[in-house]
Amino acid sequence: MLCAMDARTAHLIGRRLLAWYGKSARDLPWRHSPTPYGVWVSEVMLQQTVVATVIPYFERWMARFPDVASLASADEREALAAWEGLGYYRRALNLRRAARLAMEGHGGRVPSSQAALLNLPGVGPYIASAIRSLAFGKDEVALDANVARVFLRLLGLRAEAGDATARRAIRGAAEQALPPGRSGDYNQALMDFGSLICRPRRPRCADCFLAEKCEAFRRGLQHDVPQRTAGTLKRIRTVVAVFVTDGRVYVQKRPPGGLFEGMWEFPGGKVQGGETPRRALARECREELGASVTPGRKLAELTHYYTVFEVRLRAFLCPAPPELPEDEAHRWVPLGELDRYPMPSANRRIVAALEAHAQGQGSAPVRRSRRGGGARRTRRRARA
Ligand code: SF4
């Protein structure tokens, strides 16, 4: 299966990519005056999130946390609030932790060595190479799923992008095509080319300046490369309790180490096989909060998507029992102040339903989110 690219073809591909990028580069805010910190923030945001969604978040983040020092001194809630709606919140927490490590170990600068970068939480080989090439001019290929797809097609390899043997061939070809001293532009050209021309679906081969060098195109395989693994959507039913007393709402903080770490939510959990939603909610409140709860009227019902999960969530208004715990992770918050508490987007939609209910508009209508609700995301890296 292993195919190599001859040096002449590789050099030609590198030169053509640079020439095209010189004329067609996208105008993106992190490209205006690239700094190691700005490149790092943008690359972290671009993981699993499309460019159009990232742009306003990036601009707000850089206005709020313009450098490593300002991010390091922010508290967790501020960082999560600035990230709210972008999803994959661990990224924000890791950025803040990494900023603190950069203050302690690197004088408040983003390090340039690969080893030091890989020691920062949330920085993997791709982000390290992107920072090193775009911000420090190191001759390195930043190889992500988009770049892998482009080279799989150029090489005509019918393989999955993650296949280890194919990945060695991809890296070899991508490194061979890299014009020395131009790695920043070359990597960004590949990012743009993978988003605008050699797209995941419906590649624009008729407009492609690399078509004559593309093995997949020559053999008519461009729609079959890379091979795709069939994804299965897992369906989950969840329930949450909405306690309201004297205009205050009961919320709890997600524990460290798990999904949505540090964010706030309504208490609840999964509906188990054979349970009704109300029974499940009573059980969850007993187990999680040690509270005896009788779910009341349904406030909202919505469907939300997280990567491979379809989550159907029902929210019930519940009378607040006296034994509800109150501590650092369990609080009564005035309804009007909930916007200061970072929340996953499904919980934010429940807040909207609660506000509508409080204004006398009754229960929010049952709504279905569009797939990927909130920030538009992909299961892998998105550059569209
Ligand atoms: S010819 Fe088509 S498949 Fe090949 S690199 Fe160009 S856009 Fe991609």
Side-chain angles (χ1 to χ4, degrees), residues 58-349:
F58 176 82
E59 288 173 333
R60 283 197 297 270
W61 183 277
M62 294 302 282
R64 175 68 190 80
F65 310 116
D67 48 31
V68 171
S70 55
L71 178 57
S73 63
D75 69 26
E76 183 181 283
R77 204 197 306 176
E78 283 179 287
L80 285 171
W83 204 272
E84 188 176 314
L86 201 53
Y88 300 97
Y89 296 94
R90 180 75 57 83
R91 295 180 295 176
L93 298 177
N94 280 337
L95 260 176
R96 177 177 159 275
R97 285 182 193 127
R100 293 186 164 200
L101 290 175
M103 290 302 292
E104 288 165 16
H106 304 285
R109 287 187 296 278
V110 178
S112 61
S113 86
Q114 192 186 38
L117 283 166
L118 291 176
N119 266 334
L120 298 176
V123 176
Y126 169 78
I127 289 186
S129 291
I131 294 171
R132 279 165 57 74
S133 63
L134 273 60
F136 295 110
K138 307 286 184 191
D139 272 344
E140 259 173 58
V141 172
L143 189 59
D144 71 350
N146 280 322
V147 176
R149 179 186 65 254
V150 168
F151 277 95
L152 273 179
R153 286 174 175 165
L154 288 168
L155 291 164
L157 292 178
R158 295 187 80 160
E160 293 173 12
D163 178 274
T165 309
R167 233 173 147 75
R168 279 195 291 279
I170 291 164
R171 180 165 288 284
E175 287 178 351
Q176 209 172 10
L178 192 164
R182 301 289 308 277
S183 63
D185 284 349
Y186 172 73
N187 281 322
Q188 291 182 99
L190 279 169
M191 294 168 192
D192 285 9
F193 181 70
S195 295
L196 303 174
I197 307 283
C198 196
R199 305 177 299 197
R201 295 174 202 278
R202 294 183 292 114
R204 292 171 51 200
C205 302
D207 304 320
C208 179
F209 52 89
L210 298 181
E212 66 179 282
K213 299 295 175 190
C214 177
E215 189 61 18
F217 180 64
R218 190 183 70 77
R219 289 156 53 200
L221 296 175
Q222 64 269 34
H223 300 289
D224 302 325
V225 176
Q227 287 180 345
R228 297 177 202 286
T229 41
T232 324
L233 203 60
K234 295 177 189 140
R235 292 190 168 82
I236 297 174
R237 291 187 300 151
T238 59
V239 279
V240 297
V242 180
F243 303 112
V244 185
T245 300
D246 298 332
R248 294 183 308 150
V249 185
Y250 188 79
V251 287
Q252 65 182 20
K253 191 178 185 184
R254 299 276 305 179
L259 195 64
F260 301 127
E261 173 185 350
M263 302 196 85
W264 293 79
E265 64 175 8
F266 296 96
K270 285 185 198 166
V271 179
Q272 294 176 355
E275 273 185 323
T276 64
R278 281 187 166 79
R279 266 181 201 276
L281 187 54
R283 175 186 51 74
E284 284 286 343
C285 289
R286 202 167 50 244
E287 291 172 1
E288 268 192 20
L289 304 170
S292 177
V293 170
T294 306
R297 175 185 172 186
K298 186 161 70 182
L299 173 72
E301 179 174 339
L302 52 96
T303 305
H304 206 74
Y305 295 92
Y306 300 108
T307 57
V308 296
F309 296 103
E310 181 192 85
V311 181
R312 189 168 178 201
L313 189 154
R314 290 181 177 90
F316 293 92
L317 290 165
C318 303
E323 63 268 31
L324 284 177
E326 280 187 71
D327 51 37
E328 266 306 294
H330 299 85
R331 291 188 189 171
W332 287 98
V333 178
L335 179 55
E337 292 179 16
L338 275 177
D339 57 353
R340 294 192 208 154
Y341 287 72
M343 287 182 150
S345 52
N347 279 254
R348 193 59 79 194
R349 292 171 67 197

Side-chain angles (χ1 to χ4, degrees), residues 24-42:
S24 312
R26 289 181 291 181
D27 180 19
L28 302 173
W30 46 90
R31 290 178 177 174
H32 293 167
S33 313
T35 62
Y37 174 71
V39 170
W40 176 29
V41 171
S42 67

